[in-house]
């Protein structure tokens, strides 16, 4: 008999996006004062990302970019998106974020300088940087 459950596949990978959400939350936790995840953890995530579903990773990162999240989480999520967009083998992630890039441009006007810098780097990686004026009002 053929098993159709996720547990029956090699590696037991879940298909509900929980694994990807866990990875993203681990990278983007608000702890600390740095505006980027630790370099080793970010690199490990990017290395694994080529095999991760963009339709699971993307929404998890967008959740971390929400205005309700602490600036540290949002800045770290920007750094993760930037790294994914620049990484070889992660074109599917670049495609996902290219489709929602217009929705991310408000981050360029964030009140926190570190978040603004990370947002500009992310948007540059997406090819849409520089469109928002420096003194633009912050989106609600």
């Amino acid at each position: 008999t053929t098993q159709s459950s996720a547990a029956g596949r090699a590696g037991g990978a879940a298909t509900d996006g929980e694994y990807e959400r866990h990875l993203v939350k681990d990278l983007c936790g608000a702890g600390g004062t740095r505006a980027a995840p630790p370099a080793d953890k970010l690199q490990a995530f990017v290395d694994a990302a080529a095999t991760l579903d963009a339709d699971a990773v993307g929404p998890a990162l967008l959740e971390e970019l929400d205005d309700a999240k602490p600036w540290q989480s949002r800045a770290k999520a920007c750094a993760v998106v930037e790294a994914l967009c620049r990484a070889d083998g992660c074109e599917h992630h670049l495609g996902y974020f290219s489709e929602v890039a217009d929705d991310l441009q408000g981050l360029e006007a964030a009140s926190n300088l570190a978040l603004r810098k990370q947002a500009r780097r992310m948007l540059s990686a997406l090819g849409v940087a520089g469109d928002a004026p420096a003194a633009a009002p912050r989106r609600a």
Side-chain angles (χ1 to χ4, degrees):
T1 55
T2 309
Q3 285 186 322
S4 60
S5 71
R9 293 183 305 177
T15 57
D16 63 358
E18 187 59 38
Y19 176 71
E20 290 86 349
R21 278 193 297 278
H22 173 75
L23 290 176
V24 168
K25 284 184 184 289
D26 187 46
L27 273 177
C28 299
T33 58
R34 294 192 39 97
D40 58 334
K41 289 176 79 173
L42 180 58
Q43 187 59 54
F45 178 79
V46 170
D47 291 344
T51 62
L52 298 177
D53 183 1
D55 289 327
V57 172
L61 282 165
L62 290 177
E63 188 176 312
E64 295 299 322
L65 289 167
D66 187 85
D67 286 348
K69 293 284 186 172
W71 73 265
Q72 296 95 331
S73 293
R74 297 166 70 204
K76 290 173 184 178
C78 286
V80 174
V81 172
E82 176 197 1
L84 287 175
C85 291
R86 296 188 189 280
D88 291 333
C90 291
E91 291 77 16
H92 55 301
H93 296 290
L94 174 59
Y96 180 93
F97 287 104
S98 293
E99 289 181 20
V100 297
D102 288 347
D103 296 333
L104 302 176
Q105 286 188 291
L107 290 164
E108 276 188 306
S111 59
N112 181 281
L113 177 63
L115 174 54
R116 275 198 316 270
K117 285 182 175 180
Q118 286 290 26
R120 287 185 183 130
R121 290 180 56 148
M122 172 190 68
L123 292 166
S124 175
L126 286 166
V128 295
D131 294 340
R138 187 164 178 250
R139 284 190 188 170

